[in-house]
Amino acid sequence: HTVKGLFLRYWREHGGLAQQGYPISEEMQEKSDLNGKTYTVQYFERAAFEIHPENAGTPYEVLLSQLGRFQYDRRYRATPTPTATSTAAATPGPTPGPEVAAWLRDHAIPFNTSQPGGDYSDLMPLKKIIGDARIVSLGEATHGTHEFFAMKHRMLEFLVKEMAFNTFAMEAGWGESNLINDYVHTGNGDPSQLLKGLGYWTWNTQEVLDMIKWMRAHNQNPGNEPIVSFQGFDIQGPHIVIDNVVAYVQRVDPPSVGRIQARYDCFRPYQDSVGSYASAPQATKSACHQDAQQAYNELNGARSAYEKLSSPGEFARALQSARIVVQAEDAYSSATTSQQGAARDLYMAENASWILQQAGKDTKIALWAHNFHVGTSQAQDYKSMGQHLREQYGDQIINFGFDFYGGAFNAFSTNIANQSIGSLTSHQVQAPPVDSYEAAFHSAGIPRLFVDMRGIQSSTPATNWLTGPHPFRFIGAAYDDSRPDYFFSDESLPKKFDALIYFQDTTPSVLLK
């Protein structure tokens, strides 16, 4: 996506390089001036540019974080570059017949609202779907839909009040999320500023803020229900966890803090720049890897002494901070965006599992991420977070995909044909393909529904169609209104999700400044 000098300068000064501590060279300053030149960027949820001098003169000189580049590769790299006139959709596959709509009306579970609070009687059928599972994963088809976010809040309330869930974890940084966790337990801090501190425009919304405030209010008066915690399981931007390790060693073993700090000197300049680290000399990456791992090993080797000087819980959090640095270094070092994304999903699953284990054997956890991370992976060369967790926990995890037929959502405007990007705004989707899952759900005539996808097999015309694969919406942080076909992926939903939550109409999330 292209960006003019004015836009690049704005983000450098207000949302990107300057706030991330990236050194601004004279050359970069020149490129940030109002010189009328055009630069190409890739957008992601985190407002932090990465400068890639090794890609100078190509469309990849300026990128926005890891997942944006991975999704570009996943969606477009294998597809011929579109032209302004190449807007024809692919030939439709088999369309859902009336028997599919009849099956959905017989098997789907309608619910009344996405808004949290109040009566949960319409959600009681979820108890049968979830059963004794310890992990409930909640996806989303876009990063900017009010109904998805509000429904996740409502489901969290239900899981806490009706099913004794006590932990919530989000696709956000572990270190930053700990500050929100402190707020929901103690009331320390300003929740709106702590939410902004996550660094994701996607989560900086009124819906997520309302959920955090509800968690704090619940913890103040839980009654017979469990106290709830807020966690993050992502690995991006590990500067806070590096600081956590150093601060912990400073407190328990001051003579060793200089050595620990030195272990991170190699990786610190790259901690917010995936692309720059991936293209760094191999000798540099090898040294950074060795130092990060050695910092972890030294901390782990002092476990007994450090636990006595602090507590087992404090030590475990410090060691996990050191582990996330190792994870980030490994993911950042990967040569391709696909490898980086696969490593990120692997480590997000590892961190979600760590959170579950640390919280105790009676812990039940709700996870929040995009449908792509939540769903089980069908690609041979890429395992999603959901696939890793499925292999580890089996039927102890239940994942919910979220989908919609029509309405609006927030995303950055983009024009694929012209490779241009515009502002963050709301988008109104066009009607989905006639052979899509969205068209099938719409045909049932139910405005909001759950569908248990487990056990659907090709035994009738209806279930034969439902097994797919068929087009299914996949929208991230940017959207091209002129190319809606680009934002569908052929999927078999019974293989990807245990259950689906569908909305006929949606509205944009409420963004905070």
Side-chain angles (χ1 to χ4, degrees):
H1 310 306
T2 55
V3 56
K4 294 293 185 181
L6 173 62
F7 186 79
L8 181 57
R9 180 178 183 180
Y10 173 84
W11 276 102
R12 179 183 66 80
E13 295 176 350
H14 299 285
L17 296 172
Q19 292 190 9
Q20 297 295 330
Y22 198 98
I24 305 298
S25 67
E26 292 183 3
E27 178 184 8
M28 291 165 63
Q29 177 66 53
E30 178 185 355
K31 289 186 177 183
S32 300
D33 288 340
L34 308 183
N35 53 17
K37 295 182 180 179
T38 299
Y39 302 94
T40 303
V41 305
Q42 187 65 29
Y43 234 100
F44 177 48
E45 298 95 297
R46 294 176 72 95
F49 277 108
E50 298 171 358
I51 302 298
H52 293 257
E54 74 280 3
N55 295 333
T58 77
Y60 311 107
E61 186 173 357
V62 183
L63 300 176
L64 257 176
S65 195
Q66 170 180 327
L67 185 57
R69 291 180 293 112
F70 165 71
Q71 295 298 351
Y72 180 88
D73 286 349
R74 180 178 182 270
R75 291 172 180 278
Y76 312 136
R77 187 62 58 83
T79 304
T81 302
T83 65
T85 58
S86 61
T87 58
T91 302
T95 58
E99 67 278 359
V100 175
W103 188 96
L104 288 168
R105 285 191 290 268
D106 289 341
H107 293 83
I109 304 168
F111 62 96
N112 298 330
T113 181
S114 62
Q115 294 307 113
D119 183 18
Y120 302 106
S121 58
D122 58 329
L123 302 185
M124 288 302 171
L126 289 177
K127 288 189 174 183
K128 183 177 179 181
I129 295 175
I130 296 169
D132 296 327
R134 297 183 63 201
I135 305 172
V136 169
S137 293
L138 305 174
E140 55 194 334
T142 87
H143 278 316
T145 297
H146 165 76
E147 284 73 15
F148 294 166
F149 292 4
M151 189 63 186
K152 292 184 186 185
H153 177 178
R154 188 179 187 219
M155 289 185 70
L156 177 63
E157 291 186 9
F158 173 81
L159 292 170
V160 172
K161 292 176 175 294
E162 298 291 338
M163 301 195 72
F165 276 65
N166 59 2
T167 304
F168 169 84
M170 198 171 197
E171 183 188 336
W174 185 78
E176 294 88 342
S177 296
N178 284 337
L179 301 177
I180 298 179
N181 189 47
D182 184 54
Y183 166 78
V184 302
H185 282 278
T186 68
N188 293 333
D190 180 345
S192 61
Q193 292 302 308
L194 295 172
L195 177 59
K196 183 178 180 181
L198 289 180
Y200 289 75
W201 71 262
T202 49
W203 314 145
N204 193 29
T205 69
Q206 187 63 50
E207 295 88 351
V208 179
L209 181 60
D210 288 344
M211 183 185 67
I212 292 171
K213 289 181 176 180
W214 173 84
M215 294 171 73
R216 173 59 189 153
H218 169 81
N219 285 348
Q220 289 179 288
N221 186 25
N224 295 324
E225 299 156 5
I227 296 289
V228 64
S229 296
F230 185 105
Q231 300 287 331
F233 48 78
D234 210 344
I235 66 171
Q236 299 185 109
H239 51 280
I240 285 184
V241 288
I242 291 177
D243 293 342
N244 288 348
V245 176
V246 173
Y248 177 79
V249 175
Q250 175 67 54
R251 184 163 63 86
V252 300
D253 187 10
S256 298
V257 71
R259 186 178 70 255
I260 291 296
Q261 283 180 317
R263 296 292 186 197
Y264 293 125
D265 285 346
C266 180
F267 187 57
R268 270 193 185 275
Y270 302 101
Q271 61 191 3
D272 290 310
S273 183
V274 180
S276 294
Y277 188 63
S279 61
Q282 186 57 47
T284 298
K285 292 191 285 187
S286 296
C288 293
H289 174 80
Q290 182 176 352
D291 283 351
Q293 186 63 57
Q294 187 61 30
Y296 176 88
N297 293 345
E298 291 178 12
L299 193 65
N300 195 31
R303 178 188 298 267
S304 179
Y306 285 1
E307 285 183 344
K308 291 178 182 178
L309 291 166
S310 55
S311 70
E314 289 176 289
F315 175 81
R317 289 188 289 274
L319 188 65
Q320 176 65 2
S321 292
R323 174 60 184 161
I324 291 175
V325 181
V326 173
Q327 294 170 345
E329 186 282 326
D330 179 60
Y332 284 20
S333 69
S334 300
T336 69
T337 55
S338 180
Q339 291 171 341
Q340 292 164 3
R344 178 171 175 245
D345 268 71
L346 168 65
Y347 292 135
M348 288 198 297
E350 178 186 317
N351 295 336
S353 180
W354 182 90
I355 293 168
L356 185 65
Q357 293 167 9
Q358 285 292 312
K361 62 181 179 63
D362 295 326
T363 295
K364 294 183 177 182
I365 186 171
L367 305 179
W368 173 322
H370 194 276
N371 278 347
F372 175 78
H373 299 302
V374 165
T376 54
S377 174
Q378 299 172 46
Q380 295 181 352
D381 59 346
Y382 192 109
K383 284 187 179 182
S384 65
M385 178 185 75
Q387 182 66 37
H388 286 293
L389 292 173
R390 174 74 70 203
E391 292 175 2
Q392 182 176 0
Y393 291 100
D395 59 7
Q396 287 294 291
I397 179 172
I398 302 295
N399 61 15
F400 287 81
F402 279 59
D403 195 17
F404 71 112
Y405 179 81
F409 60 94
N410 287 318
F412 278 87
S413 298
T414 180
N415 187 298
I416 295 169
N418 298 328
Q419 295 188 348
S420 62
I421 189 167
S423 61
L424 175 61
T425 186
S426 63
H427 299 263
Q428 187 82 24
V429 295
Q430 300 177 20
V434 294
D435 59 336
S436 66
Y437 278 108
E438 290 76 14
F441 296 133
H442 180 66
S443 71
I446 304 173
R448 293 166 299 276
L449 59 83
F450 301 107
V451 181
D452 190 341
M453 309 299 292
R454 296 169 298 181
I456 295 179
Q457 298 180 354
S458 301
S459 57
T460 69
T463 57
N464 183 55
W465 190 93
L466 286 166
T467 56
H470 302 293
F472 179 69
R473 271 207 178 99
F474 192 108
I475 299 172
Y479 188 74
D480 184 344
D481 295 286
S482 70
R483 293 305 305 267
D485 54 303
Y486 264 57
F487 299 90
F488 283 85
S489 174
D490 284 341
E491 304 286 350
S492 172
L493 292 196
K495 294 180 180 179
K496 198 168 192 69
F497 302 114
D498 296 309
L500 194 87
I501 299 176
Y502 165 81
F503 293 88
Q504 180 173 291
D505 297 299
T506 64
T507 55
S509 57
V510 181
L511 298 172
L512 300 176
K513 294 184 179 180

